[in-house]
C-alpha cells in the first residue's frame, strides 16, 4: 500500500460500501444510491449482467448437450452442490463448485453458494411471505435465543415498500399468521388445490391453503416497467435468468436501478478480506479487498458499510475483521458472533394420488408452484411436544398418460398421447429450527483459502426438536391427505444435511442487549455504529417463511435509518 | 455464432464419428471417454433403439440418431459402476436372441426383435442384473432422447419455451383437452 498516493486514496473513498450484490446487497445499493450516496458495491465473483449473461435462457431442452443432466465427472467432483435441486445443466454456471471455495464441515453441512453479481437472487425459489408477530414474538414467548428487538409494526411499512418495487403476486387472504402485502394478482389454485383448500378450511379451524405468494410480475405496474422488466411469461425457467425480468432478482431490478442513479460503482472479482477498524475514531473506516484477477490487496474507504455477503460469508468477514478493539471479530463484544446459526428443516415431503377431478387439468405453467400452508402448529399457544412449527408447500398436477412398458409402434404412438392421466398431489415441509449456541461457524485455525482468508468451519446440526417436528409434519399431512380422500399416500423423510434448504441464518443476530447480540433494532452494530448487517446473518430466529422478503425489508429499513443518522451527524 | 448453433454443430460431429466406424468388427470401433465398443455393439444398440422407437410415418430412433444420444449419456452422465454393468450386460445380450431364435439379434426379423425386447418387459424374467440394467438403460435413454428430441418437442407434444399463460382450470372431456391451448 505504500506507493499509493493521496489522490488514489480519494478515488478509493466512497460514502458507502456494500459488501455483496445479491438479494439484500442489491437493496442496500438501491436505497443508498437513491438517496445520493456514492456507493461501492463489492462482489467476490464475476459480473452477471441482466439478459447479456444468461447464456442458457432461451435454449430449448434438446439444445442442451445432456438434456439438462449434469455430466457425471462434474457431479462426482461436486457432491455438495450436486445435491441442490437446481444444480442442472441449464444453471450450473451460477453455482459455486465444491473445490473452488472449500470450507470445513465439522458436521455435514451443504453450503450452497452463488458467487456472482446477483448472487443467489438469480437462483432463488421466489417464494415471499411476510412475518407476523407470531414469528417476531417466538423467541420471547418460547424462551429461546433472545427477543427480537423489532415487532411487525416496525417492519410492516418496509415490507410494503419493497413489495411494491420487487413485485409480489398473491391474494389478500386475511390471515393473522401471514399478513397480507402489496400484491399483484395472485396465481390461481387449480382444481385439486382448490378442493384441498376448501376441505382443510372446513375440517380444521386454523389451517389454511392459499395461493403461494411469489416475486413474479403476474401483471406489472409502472414501477416494474420503469425497471425494464416485463410481465412474467410463465416459463418457470427462472434459474437460468429471465429474459423478461419476470421475477425479482438483483440483476434485473435493484442493481440496474442503482446503476441508473449514477452513484453506484460495481466492483466484481473483489474478495473482502476484512473490514478495517479505525481505533482512534472508534468506527469502521473501510474494507480490505483482494482483487481475484490481479491478487492485489486494495483498501476502500467509506462512512458507512453494509455487510450483505450472504449469511455465513458475512459471519466469516466479521470474524476475520480483528483489531485491537475487537480481537474476536468486528462488533463481537458479546462473543455471540458466529453462534446461534439456524436454518430451515426441509427433511420431509409427502405425495399421493387423487381420484376424480377428471374434467380439469392445467395449461401453461404456474410460476408460484401451487399452494402454501402457513404455519398452524403452536401459533396461538404451545400445543405439541416440540417448539415452533412448519409451513408447507402444496402442489397438485396432472400430466399426459404415458405407459413406460412395451416397445415398438404402439408404444411410440403412446408417447405422443395427449390423453390426461390421474392427478397427483404433493407437499414439502419448511420447518423453523431453534438457534443454539452449539450451532456455530468459526474461522479454521490453520487452513486458508486462495486469498489468505481463513476457511470457514461450520458446525451445525439437527436436534431432537427438528426430528419431532418432522414426525409431526408427516403425521399431520398424512391425516390431512387421508381426510381429503387422497390415495396411495407416501410420506418420505430424509437425512439431508442442514444447508440444503439454502436458508442458513444467524450468527450476527439482532437483539436489544449488546451483551447477547451483535446488532441493534436497526441492523446496526451495537459496538461499531457505522456498520450494518442486513442479510441472513442478522436473523435472531428463523420462523418458517422463506426469508428473502424479510431481508429486503430489513435492508431498506436499515438504509433509511443509516442515512438519517448520517444527516444527524451520528455516524 | 450462438450457443444453439454450436451445440448443433457438435451433435453433427458426434453423429459423424458414430456413423464412420474406423476399425474391423472385432476391434474397438467407437472410442468414448470411458470405454470403447465394437462395431457389432454399435449396431446392436442402434437396432435396439430402432425397435423401441421404430420409423413409422414419423422418424424413428435411427433417423433421430438416438444411438448417439444413448452412448453420450452412458459415457458422460453415468456412474462408473453403472457403466460397468452396462458393458457386462451388453456382452450377455446376444445370449437372449440365440436362446429364443437361435440367431444373433441382427439376423432376427422385426417381430423376433420385438419379442426379444418384450421378454425384458416381463416382470418375472430371469435375466441377470447387468443384462436388465443394459436393457433398461438403453430403453430409458432412447425414450428420453426421443421425447426430448427437437422432432418430438416441435411436432408431437409441442414444448413451449414461452407459454405466456397459466390456466389453472383447463377443461377436459373424456381425458382430452376441450380446447387446444385454451
Amino acid at each position: 500500500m505504500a506507493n499509493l498516493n493521496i489522490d488514489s486514496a480519494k478515488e478509493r473513498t466512497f460514502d458507502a460500501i456494500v459488501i455483496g450484490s445479491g438479494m439484500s446487497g442489491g437493496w442496500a445499493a438501491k436505497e443508498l444510491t437513491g438517496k445520493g450516496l456514492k456507493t461501492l458495491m463489492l462482489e467476490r465473483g464475476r459480473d452477471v449482467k441482466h439478459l447479456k449473461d444468461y447464456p442458457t435462457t432461451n435454449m430449448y431442452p434438446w439444445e442442451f448437450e445432456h438434456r439438462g443432466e449434469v455430466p457425471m465427472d462434474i457431479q462426482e467432483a461436486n457432491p455438495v452442490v450436486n445435491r441442490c435441486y437446481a444444480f442442472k445443466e441449464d444453471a450450473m454456471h451460477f453455482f459455486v463448485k465444491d473445490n473452488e471455495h472449500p470450507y470445513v464441515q465439522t458436521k455435514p453441512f451443504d453450503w450452497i453458494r452463488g458467487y456472482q453479481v446477483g448472487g443467489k437472487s438469480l437462483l432463488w425459489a421466489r417464494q415471499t411471505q411476510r412475518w407476523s408477530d407470531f414469528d417476531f414474538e417466538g423467541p420471547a414467548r418460547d424462551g429461546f435465543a433472545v427477543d427480537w428487538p423489532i415487532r411487525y409494526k416496525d417492519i410492516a411499512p418496509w415490507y410494503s415498500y419493497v413489495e411494491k418495487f420487487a413485485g409480489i403476486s398473491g391474494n389478500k387472504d386475511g390471515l393473522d399468521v401471514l399478513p397480507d402485502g402489496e400484491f399483484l394478482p395472485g396465481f390461481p389454485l387449480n382444481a385439486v388445490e382448490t378442493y384441498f383448500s376448501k376441505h382443510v378450511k372446513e375440517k380444521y379451524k386454523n389451517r389454511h391453503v392459499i395461493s403461494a405468494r411469489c416475486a413474479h410480475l403476474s401483471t406489472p405496474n409502472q414501477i416494474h416497467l420503469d425497471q425494464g422488466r416485463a410481465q412474467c411469461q410463465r416459463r418457470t425457467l427462472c434459474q437460468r435468468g429471465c429474459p423478461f425480468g419476470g421475477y425479482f432478482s438483483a440483476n434485473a431490478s435493484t442493481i440496474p436501478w442503482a446503476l441508473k442513479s449514477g452513484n453506484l460503482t460495481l466492483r466484481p472479482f473483489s474478495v473482502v478480506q476484512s473490514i478495517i477498524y479505525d481505533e482512534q475514531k472508534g468506527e469502521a473506516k473501510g474494507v480490505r479487498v483482494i482483487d481475484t484477477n490481479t491478487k492485489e490487496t486494495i483498501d476502500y474507504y467509506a462512512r458507512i458499510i453494509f455487510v450483505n455477503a450472504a449469511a455465513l460469508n458475512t459471519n466469516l468477514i466479521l470474524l476475520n475483521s480483528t483489531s485491537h478493539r475487537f480481537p474476536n471479530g468486528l462488533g463481537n463484544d458479546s462473543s455471540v458472533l458466529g453462534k446461534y446459526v439456524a436454518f430451515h428443516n426441509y427433511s420431509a415431503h409427502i405425495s399421493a394420488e387423487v381420484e376424480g377431478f377428471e374434467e380439469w387439468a392445467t395449461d401453461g405453467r404456474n410460476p408460484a408452484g401451487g399452494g402454501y400452508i402457513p404455519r398452524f402448529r403452536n401459533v396461538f399457544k404451545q400445543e405439541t411436544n416440540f417448539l415452533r412449527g412448519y409451513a408447507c408447500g402444496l402442489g397438485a398436477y396432472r400430466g399426459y398418460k404415458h405407459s413406460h412398458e412395451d416397445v415398438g409402434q404402439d408404444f411410440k404412438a403412446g408417447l405422443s398421447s395427449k390423453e390426461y392421466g390421474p392427478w397427483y398431489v404433493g407437499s414439502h415441509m419448511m420447518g423453523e429450527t431453534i438457534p443454539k449456541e452449539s450451532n456455530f461457524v468459526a474461522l479454521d485455525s490453520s487452513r486458508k483459502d486462495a486469498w489468505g482468508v481463513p476457511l470457514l468451519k461450520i458446525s451445525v446440526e439437527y436436534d431432537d426438536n427438528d426430528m419431532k417436528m418432522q414426525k409431526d409434519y408427516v403425521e399431520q399431512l398424512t391425516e390431512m391427505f387421508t381426510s381429503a380422500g387422497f390415495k396411495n399416500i407416501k410420506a418420505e423423510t430424509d437425512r439431508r444435511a442442514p444447508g440444503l434448504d439454502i436458508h442458513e441464518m444467524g450468527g450476527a443476530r439482532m437483539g436489544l442487549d449488546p451483551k447477547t447480540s451483535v446488532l441493534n433494532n436497526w441492523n446496526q452494530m451495537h459496538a461499531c455504529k457505522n456498520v450494518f448487517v442486513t442479510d441472513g446473518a442478522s436473523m435472531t430466529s428463523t420462523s418458517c417463511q422463506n426469508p428473502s422478503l424479510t431481508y429486503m425489508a430489513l435492508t431498506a429499513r436499515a438504509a433509511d435509518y443509516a442515512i438519517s443518522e448520517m444527516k444527524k451527524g451520528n455516524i | 455464432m450462438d450457443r444453439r448453433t454450436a451445440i448443433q454443430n457438435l451433435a453433427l460431429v458426434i453423429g459423424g464419428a458414430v456413423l464412420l466406424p474406423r476399425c474391423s468388427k472385432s476391434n474397438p470401433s467407437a472410442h468414448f471417454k470411458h470405454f470403447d465398443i465394437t462395431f457389432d455393439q454399435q449396431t446392436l444398440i442402434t437396432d435396439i433403439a430402432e425397435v423401441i422407437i421404430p420409423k413409422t410415418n414419423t422418424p424413428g430412433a435411427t433417423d433421430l440418431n438416438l444411438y448417439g444420444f444413448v452412448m453420450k449419456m452412458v459415457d458422460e452422465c453415468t456412474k462408473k459402476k453403472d457403466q460397468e454393468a452396462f458393458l457386462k450386460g451388453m456382452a450377455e445380450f446376444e445370449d437372449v436372441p440365440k436362446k429364443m431364435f437361435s440367431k444373433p439379434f441382427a439376423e432376427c426379423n422385426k417381430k423376433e426383435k420385438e419379442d426379444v425386447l418384450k421378454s425384458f418387459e416381463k416382470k418375472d424374467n430371469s435375466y441377470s442384473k447387468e443384462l436388465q440394467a443394459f436393457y433398461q438403460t438403453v430403453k430409458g435413454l432412447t425414450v428420453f432422447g426421443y421425447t426430448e428430441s427437437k422432432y418430438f418437442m416441435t411436432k408431437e407434444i409441442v414444448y413451449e419455451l414461452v407459454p405466456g399463460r397459466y390456466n389453472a382450470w383447463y377443461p377436459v372431456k373424456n381425458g382430452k383437452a376441450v380446447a387446444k391451448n385454451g
Side-chain angles (χ1 to χ4, degrees):
Chain A
M1 306 308 295
N3 59 352
L4 293 167
N5 60 29
I6 291 162
D7 283 348
S8 162
K10 209 185 235 172
E11 280 168 20
R12 287 179 284 113
T13 301
F14 295 81
D15 297 324
I17 294 173
V18 177
I19 303 171
S21 66
M23 192 63 76
S24 64
W27 268 100
K30 174 191 169 289
E31 295 306 302
L32 298 170
T33 57
K35 296 277 169 59
L37 298 197
K38 293 287 176 194
T39 302
L40 173 68
M41 174 184 263
L42 299 167
E43 164 54 49
R44 66 176 297 156
R46 66 190 171 97
D47 195 5
V48 171
K49 287 201 168 54
H50 184 49
L51 310 180
K52 186 177 159 285
D53 293 322
Y54 304 155
T56 60
T57 190
N58 284 321
M59 284 173 67
Y60 283 91
W62 62 85
E63 294 174 323
F64 289 94
E65 203 180 335
H66 305 94
R67 305 294 186 271
E69 304 271 306
V70 177
M72 192 51 63
D73 55 343
I74 299 175
Q75 290 192 44
E76 287 175 345
N78 299 282
V80 170
V81 68
N82 188 47
R83 284 192 281 272
C84 176
Y85 67 97
F87 187 72
K88 294 285 175 206
E89 198 173 25
D90 67 343
M92 61 184 180
H93 48 286
F94 290 143
F95 288 89
V96 170
K97 309 300 178 293
D98 293 12
N99 58 358
E100 285 171 358
H101 298 279
Y103 60 99
V104 181
Q105 299 178 60
T106 310
K107 289 158 186 161
F109 186 92
D110 289 342
W111 191 14
I112 309 298
R113 294 157 291 169
Y115 289 170
Q116 62 253 328
V117 168
K120 299 192 294 291
S121 79
L122 277 169
L123 297 162
W124 65 313
R126 310 166 310 281
Q127 300 284 306
T128 41
Q129 310 96 19
R130 290 187 178 200
W131 282 37
S132 74
D133 273 336
F134 295 111
D135 307 303
F136 286 111
E137 288 170 0
R141 188 193 79 176
D142 292 346
F144 64 92
V146 291
D147 189 12
W148 273 91
I150 57 169
R151 288 295 181 265
Y152 180 65
K153 65 174 167 46
D154 300 308
I155 197 173
W158 294 100
Y159 274 134
S160 291
Y161 180 80
V162 298
E163 283 164 348
K164 283 180 194 161
F165 188 82
I168 307 296
S169 295
N171 297 319
K172 300 233 182 220
D173 298 295
L175 306 177
D176 42 11
V177 287
L178 206 73
D180 290 334
E182 310 290 334
F183 294 142
L184 307 173
F187 291 96
L189 296 177
N190 64 34
V192 170
E193 291 157 358
T194 301
Y195 158 75
F196 188 61
S197 175
K198 283 183 182 156
H199 178 81
V200 167
K201 193 172 185 168
E202 281 162 18
K203 166 111 192 190
Y204 297 92
K205 193 169 157 238
N206 288 311
R207 300 189 189 185
H208 309 276
V209 182
I210 63 170
S211 282
R213 300 169 181 177
C214 62
H216 282 260
L217 302 179
S218 55
T219 307
N221 287 334
Q222 189 59 44
I223 185 65
H224 309 118
L225 302 175
D226 291 347
Q227 295 167 39
R229 299 169 59 199
Q231 184 172 46
C232 166
Q233 295 297 310
R234 284 71 169 165
R235 291 168 18 115
T236 64
L237 301 171
C238 315
Q239 69 282 357
R240 301 178 183 181
C242 182
F244 300 95
Y247 72 94
F248 175 86
S249 66
N251 310 66
S253 179
T254 45
I255 292 174
W257 193 269
L259 285 167
K260 213 163 58 178
S261 73
N263 291 326
L264 183 69
T265 302
L266 174 58
R267 195 181 201 288
F269 301 113
S270 303
V271 167
V272 171
Q273 194 259 343
S274 60
I275 295 166
I276 310 161
Y277 185 71
D278 187 326
E279 308 272 357
Q280 274 76 46
K281 288 187 178 166
E283 60 182 29
K285 67 174 177 185
V287 170
R288 183 154 297 160
V289 162
I290 299 147
D291 184 305
T292 61
N293 291 320
T294 65
K295 318 285 186 243
E296 199 182 354
T297 300
I298 311 166
D299 289 352
Y300 289 95
Y301 307 104
R303 280 179 67 192
I304 58 167
I305 295 162
F306 269 67
V307 194
N308 302 85
L312 298 190
N313 270 325
T314 285
N315 276 280
L316 173 61
I317 290 168
L318 297 178
L319 287 164
N320 201 41
S321 301
T322 54
S323 56
H324 180 70
R325 167 71 182 81
F326 295 111
N328 301 314
L330 187 66
N332 191 18
D333 289 342
S334 61
S335 295
V336 300
L337 181 62
K339 296 171 184 168
Y340 300 93
V341 169
F343 55 98
H344 279 157
N345 178 359
Y346 273 53
S347 67
H349 58 273
I350 186 166
S351 63
E353 290 170 21
V354 183
E355 288 174 353
F357 306 95
E358 280 130 12
E359 63 276 35
W360 301 107
T362 62
D363 179 50
R365 296 179 217 131
N366 183 2
Y372 180 84
I373 308 176
R375 177 163 71 94
F376 54 84
R377 280 308 212 188
N378 304 320
V379 176
F380 301 100
K381 60 178 185 359
Q382 182 63 35
E383 62 195 5
T384 67
N385 67 345
F386 58 88
L387 291 179
R388 313 309 294 162
Y390 46 84
C392 317
L394 187 279
Y397 57 97
R398 185 184 194 189
Y400 295 139
K401 194 180 351 189
H402 295 143
S403 168
H404 294 284
E405 278 159 33
D406 207 2
V407 297
Q409 190 171 337
D410 292 348
F411 171 72
K412 179 190 175 193
L415 295 173
S416 301
S417 164
K418 293 185 180 73
E419 188 180 342
Y420 284 99
W423 282 91
Y424 295 92
V425 63
S427 162
H428 63 279
M429 83 175 283
M430 299 178 277
E432 178 165 357
T433 71
I434 306 300
K436 296 185 298 281
E437 192 173 10
S438 56
N439 277 347
F440 66 94
V441 296
L443 302 182
D444 192 80
S445 54
S446 55
R447 284 165 284 189
K448 293 186 174 179
D449 69 12
W451 324 114
V453 177
L455 297 192
L456 192 67
K457 195 165 70 179
I458 305 178
S459 186
V460 173
E461 64 183 341
Y462 287 100
D463 64 15
D464 185 46
N465 197 66
D466 300 323
M467 293 303 110
K468 283 178 183 158
M469 190 185 292
Q470 181 198 61
K471 186 165 173 277
D472 189 69
Y473 167 85
V474 168
E475 286 169 3
Q476 294 306 311
L477 269 289
T478 301
E479 185 197 299
M480 288 156 76
F481 274 21
T482 305
S483 157
F486 299 156
K487 298 285 187 287
N488 199 13
I489 299 165
K490 285 182 182 143
E492 278 182 58
T493 58
D494 61 48
R495 278 277 171 189
R496 68 177 61 200
L500 204 53
D501 43 288
I502 329 182
H503 287 174
E504 59 274 14
M505 290 177 241
R509 69 186 181 192
M510 295 168 75
L512 295 162
D513 185 352
K515 290 195 195 73
T516 56
S517 59
V518 178
L519 309 170
N520 68 13
N521 56 328
W522 297 104
N523 295 72
Q524 180 184 34
M525 275 194 168
H526 288 299
C528 186
K529 297 287 186 194
N530 64 336
V531 174
F532 293 80
V533 177
T534 68
D535 63 10
S538 67
M539 299 294 278
T540 308
S541 66
T542 72
S543 196
C544 54
Q545 285 88 329
N546 297 64
S548 292
L549 183 70
T550 299
Y551 302 165
M552 296 189 221
L554 287 173
T555 303
R557 179 175 176 270
D560 182 69
Y561 174 78
I563 290 161
S564 74
E565 286 294 281
M566 284 171 88
K567 281 185 186 152
K568 287 179 198 156
N570 292 341
I571 51 176
Chain B
M1 185 169 71
D2 63 11
R3 179 165 173 160
R4 187 184 306 184
T5 314
I7 287 174
Q8 279 164 352
N9 289 348
L10 183 66
L12 283 175
V13 171
I14 292 161
V18 161
L19 293 172
L20 297 169
R22 289 187 299 271
C23 308
S24 69
K25 58 195 283 187
S26 60
N27 290 325
S29 65
H31 300 279
F32 294 95
K33 287 178 192 160
H34 299 96
F35 51 81
D36 298 333
I37 66 170
T38 66
F39 178 77
D40 283 352
Q41 288 169 330
Q42 287 185 56
T43 308
L44 175 67
I45 294 166
T46 306
D47 286 356
I48 293 173
E50 184 67 22
V51 175
I52 296 167
I53 305 291
K55 183 183 182 72
T56 53
N57 55 355
T58 64
T62 310
D63 298 326
L64 299 170
N65 188 25
L66 297 183
Y67 161 81
F69 177 69
V70 169
M71 291 316 296
K72 184 172 189 58
M73 295 299 284
V74 172
D75 187 30
E76 295 177 9
C77 291
T78 304
K79 285 193 176 110
K80 192 170 192 307
K81 75 169 176 42
D82 296 331
Q83 285 174 346
E84 285 167 358
F86 176 91
L87 294 171
K88 191 158 178 279
M90 181 166 62
E92 291 173 24
F93 184 85
E94 284 295 359
D95 295 346
V96 181
K98 268 180 201 146
K99 201 169 170 189
M100 286 174 71
F101 301 110
S102 308
K103 54 189 170 188
F105 193 69
E107 289 169 25
C108 291
N109 66 28
K110 197 179 163 199
K111 170 81 173 54
E112 289 164 343
K113 282 178 178 168
E114 278 195 12
D115 286 345
V116 168
L117 299 197
K118 281 178 179 177
S119 74
F120 285 88
E121 301 281 336
K122 291 197 189 102
K123 290 209 166 62
D124 57 349
N125 72 60
S126 57
Y127 298 138
S128 74
K129 215 169 63 195
E130 290 82 5
L131 185 48
Q132 304 218 51
F134 166 71
Y135 173 72
Q136 292 302 341
T137 301
V138 175
K139 180 168 177 195
L141 289 172
T142 299
V143 172
F144 182 36
Y146 176 62
T147 54
E148 299 251 331
S149 66
K150 183 178 180 182
Y151 164 73
F152 188 88
M153 295 188 114
T154 56
K155 305 287 188 216
E156 295 292 331
I157 290 179
V158 176
Y159 174 83
E160 295 175 286
L161 191 63
V162 186
R165 67 187 185 286
Y166 175 60
N167 183 351
W169 293 76
Y170 188 56
V172 170
K173 204 169 184 181
N174 300 325
K176 297 275 178 73
V178 172
K180 198 170 180 247
N181 295 341

